[in-house]
Amino acid sequence: MTIKRRHTEELPEHPDFLWKNPSPKKSYDVIVIGAGGHGLATAYYLAKNFGITNVAVLEKGYLAGGNMGRNTTIIRSNYLWDESAGIYEKSLQLWEGLEEEVGYEMFFDQRGVMTLAHSVSDLRSKQRNFYANAVNDIDSQWLTPEEVKKIAPIVNISPDVRYPVLGATYQARGGIAKHDWVAWGYAKAASDLGVDLIQGCEVKKVKVENGKVVGVDTNQGFISANKVAMAAAGHTSVLSEMAGFRVPLQSRPLQALVSELLEHVLDTVIMSGAVHVYVSQAHKGELVMGAGTDAYNSYAQRGGFHVIEHQLASALELFPIFSRAHLLRTWGGIVDIAPDASPILGLTPVENLYINSGWGTGGFKATPGSGWAFADTIAHNRAHELVKPYSLDRFVSGHLIDEHGAAGVAH
Amino acid sequence: MLLINCPWCGPRDETEFHYGSEAHIGYPEKPEELTDKQWAEYIFYRNNPKGWFAERWVHNVGCRRWFNIWRNTVTHQFGPSYKPFTKQPSRPK
Ligand SMILES: Cc1cc2nc3c(=O)[nH]c(=O)nc-3n(C[C@H](O)[C@H](O)[C@H](O)COP(=O)(O)OP(=O)(O)OC[C@H]3O[C@@H](n4cnc5c(N)ncnc54)[C@H](O)[C@@H]3O)c2cc1C
Ligand SMILES: [Zn+2]
């Protein structure tokens, strides 16, 4: 199937049903907990790459109702460390062929991602990141303020503002996609290959016998499984506690917002750690902006309005033109954050139970790569090369993958 | 915005405070005897319950003092706040 880039006026019609809604069977080869992006991608690659189709994805709410349907959809692979380069670049490469592969439009749009530097130390850390990317063969450009202005004319680059723009990194292959369509594409493709997607099915207990997982108790009864894979994002701590082990994760609200529909003024993605802004303009025309995490632990999928106000005040520093835009909607998701701001992936202390978590504020971009490498990990019952560095053991060995600084605004 | 009850100053806006995560994490009594795993637990592992949580806040633009408070991580409802080194009130129902 060939997919042409289309404009909003010609959005394709959805079929009435993209996937079947079966009742759970008594047993499966693999149960995936959580129908967010990572769970759905994992199920798809299990079926597609390994022929493992006796798989159920259990979702307590509705498909992609968690962070998958709430993120600001920024995609890039220009992280600092080699381990990150591995998995995020694999992911970006998969994005580049994904719509064709699953046969579903996702509005994957490589409009570029620009990360601004505003102070001397900021500039140095961005340049360090830029050189690290070069060493890892990840496309990256260094932009002067004038070049920034050329790509994004609405950025205020005058030197006498609170946060002057001193330069930027630019990854031209980065961009955005329509997150719900990505979930639906994976869901449809997985369902077509025989995977059962079961919504309204909450895992209440992970059953372990003699150190090995045997299935899950749900609100729809016990379902047995040879293997169980957790892809529950903000609820990972709750699930691993059910299975009898702890994870070093904290769940926090992360909020985002959109403006009313505006004419197109921005055709790239702009991030700034110092000002704490990340913004893109959706295909329909709304400005999409992400805020910072709220300070406290929460499972409430909402945060404080002062966080939104702070976010908008920052945005106006860089984009004075936004001052007349109206805020249309704000929302929050619950993100699972590890001490080094990198994911926790792979095997667990329980045999045949696997973990895919800790993607925190930045896991949308990793959806294809994570699902791809996690499916391989589950199929072979050992960590895939790209997954290995992200084991739970790293918090004991000290091999942390510190992406706090590199990410800046963490996306 | 949360309204947080500082045990010294009374209820104030959340923006006057900084968060300090899980309460009652003491420095290890015999650090020299800790294994790497126990160090990892002390440094990196904190509880992350869905429900009532005893946590620390510091009233940094007010009295600048630390305190503990019960808060429900699902409803954001607060239980009692209490000063450090005082008896922990029981978990709210
Ligand atoms: C506001 C916001 C902005 C973001 N912006 C970006 C961005 O620009 N770029 C980027 O790369 N990332 C971004 N992220 C992060 C990204 O959204 C997440 O890292 C990623 O979506 C997490 O993986 P997921 O899709 O599998 O999670 P989710 O969609 O949250 O999936 C987990 C699922 O597990 C289900 N579940 C939980 N417990 C149970 C249970 N007991 N039984 C059954 N099901 C259960 C949940 O209901 C949920 O549907 C953002 C996140 C937020 C909240
Ligand atoms: Zn006080």
Side-chain angles (χ1 to χ4, degrees):
Chain A
M1 165 175 179
T2 322
I3 293 178
K4 279 203 332 280
R5 179 66 44 224
R6 294 184 239 211
H7 293 291
T8 26
E9 310 82 64
E10 15 169 340
L11 282 181
E13 291 281 315
H14 284 295
D16 285 351
F17 295 99
L18 290 171
W19 56 85
K20 301 169 213 87
N21 269 311
S23 305
K25 294 192 273 189
K26 287 206 158 46
S27 99
Y28 288 95
D29 291 339
V30 181
I31 284 177
V32 178
I33 306 174
H38 292 252
L40 292 167
T42 301
Y44 167 74
Y45 291 112
L46 276 171
K48 177 79 193 316
N49 293 353
F50 301 99
I52 303 173
T53 56
N54 187 22
V55 174
V57 183
L58 309 183
E59 168 53 52
K60 73 180 166 67
Y62 61 93
L63 195 141
N67 296 340
M68 186 58 176
R70 294 163 190 263
N71 60 69
T72 48
T73 81
I74 299 173
I75 297 169
R76 62 186 182 91
S77 69
N78 55 351
Y79 283 72
L80 180 63
W81 299 107
D82 298 357
E83 296 85 348
S84 317
I87 195 150
Y88 289 106
E89 178 56 26
K90 173 69 196 176
S91 198
L92 185 47
Q93 287 171 14
L94 287 168
W95 277 114
E96 285 172 332
L98 193 58
E99 294 173 299
E100 309 272 330
E101 180 180 341
V102 303
Y104 197 78
E105 186 141 18
M106 295 171 173
F107 282 81
F108 174 59
D109 179 353
Q110 292 177 294
R111 56 172 62 187
V113 173
M114 190 189 285
T115 309
L116 306 175
H118 302 281
S119 65
V120 173
S121 73
D122 199 9
L123 190 89
R124 286 186 182 146
S125 93
K126 296 292 174 320
Q127 286 194 329
R128 176 186 182 212
N129 202 105
F130 164 71
Y131 289 121
N133 291 154
V135 170
N136 276 321
D137 263 345
I138 291 186
D139 66 304
S140 185
Q141 284 164 255
W142 183 260
L143 304 180
T144 63
E146 292 67 34
E147 289 166 333
V148 167
K149 189 82 181 168
K150 219 164 165 187
I151 296 177
I154 62 168
V155 179
N156 185 359
I157 61 160
S158 53
D160 57 351
V161 293
R162 173 73 183 82
Y163 299 103
V165 173
L166 303 185
T169 63
Y170 186 64
Q171 185 175 30
R173 286 165 64 235
I176 54 174
K178 237 166 127 47
H179 48 199
D180 39 3
W181 293 42
V182 175
W184 299 338
Y186 271 123
K188 178 178 186 304
S191 178
D192 288 350
L193 290 170
V195 170
D196 283 357
L197 306 178
I198 300 163
Q199 305 181 73
C201 185
E202 178 167 3
V203 172
K204 304 273 194 186
K205 177 99 193 128
V206 178
K207 286 271 193 186
V208 180
E209 279 171 16
N210 304 319
K212 191 169 171 179
V213 73
V214 296
V216 294
D217 273 332
T218 77
N219 58 335
Q220 302 190 26
F222 176 72
I223 310 174
S224 80
N226 295 335
K227 296 177 175 181
V228 175
M230 308 189 290
H235 277 77
T236 304
S237 302
V238 178
L239 279 164
S240 45
E241 198 181 308
M242 291 177 191
F245 65 96
R246 293 177 86 200
V247 285
L249 291 169
Q250 299 282 287
S251 298
R252 297 263 160 91
L254 179 66
Q255 301 184 76
L257 56 106
V258 290
S259 73
E260 62 201 315
L261 306 190
L262 301 167
E263 279 190 29
H264 277 269
V265 290
L266 184 62
D267 58 8
T268 187
V269 180
I270 298 189
M271 322 206 318
S272 158
V275 185
H276 208 293
V277 172
Y278 43 103
V279 58
S280 67
Q281 190 167 19
H283 296 91
K284 271 190 296 181
E286 60 276 51
L287 296 168
V288 182
M289 280 185 241
T293 51
D294 281 69
Y296 44 80
N297 290 25
S298 172
Y299 287 86
Q301 288 187 317
R302 63 187 154 81
F305 196 70
H306 63 283
V307 176
I308 300 288
E309 282 182 314
H310 177 77
Q311 168 61 29
L312 288 174
S314 311
L316 290 190
E317 279 286 331
L318 277 183
F319 307 101
I321 191 181
F322 291 174
S323 67
R324 286 164 193 247
H326 291 113
L327 181 65
L328 193 67
R329 207 150 42 84
T330 75
W331 64 89
I334 296 301
V335 295
D336 45 334
I337 302 178
D340 55 357
S342 282
I344 297 174
L345 308 172
L347 310 190
T348 69
V350 176
E351 218 179 307
N352 289 5
L353 177 65
Y354 309 88
I355 187 168
N356 183 333
S357 69
W359 290 103
T361 60
F364 172 70
K365 65 180 70 63
T367 305
S370 153
W372 185 88
F374 194 44
D376 181 281
T377 298
I378 298 164
H380 296 114
N381 191 33
R382 56 98 187 90
H384 182 274
E385 279 305 313
L386 295 176
V387 160
K388 254 187 205 160
Y390 294 100
S391 75
L392 258 175
D393 291 345
R394 76 177 185 272
F395 300 98
V396 176
S397 70
H399 290 98
L400 303 187
I401 304 162
D402 185 357
E403 286 290 354
H404 286 284
V409 277
H411 294 275
Chain B
M1 163 131 36
L2 304 177
L3 190 62
I4 303 175
N5 193 17
C6 171
W8 282 283
C9 312
R12 299 290 177 88
D13 281 351
E14 177 190 339
T15 43
E16 293 189 14
F17 298 85
H18 248 86
Y19 191 56
S21 293
E22 185 177 5
H24 307 293
I25 305 288
Y27 192 75
E29 276 177 23
K30 293 188 176 154
E32 70 283 4
E33 288 177 13
L34 257 48
T35 62
D36 286 355
K37 188 156 182 291
Q38 288 165 325
W39 271 119
E41 274 162 17
Y42 168 65
I43 294 171
F44 297 123
Y45 282 71
R46 292 293 177 270
N47 286 331
N48 187 23
K50 188 174 179 177
W52 288 104
F53 189 37
E55 61 192 16
R56 301 189 310 155
W57 290 83
V58 58
H59 192 185
N60 56 312
V61 300
C63 63
R64 299 170 66 192
R65 282 189 276 198
W66 284 95
F67 61 93
N68 302 324
I69 194 164
W70 280 105
R71 187 178 56 90
N72 188 306
T73 60
V74 180
T75 61
H76 293 179
Q77 186 195 345
F78 280 103
S81 62
Y82 51 103
K83 297 174 183 172
F85 310 111
T86 60
K87 193 170 172 300
Q88 181 180 22
S90 55
R91 173 192 305 268
K93 291 274 173 320

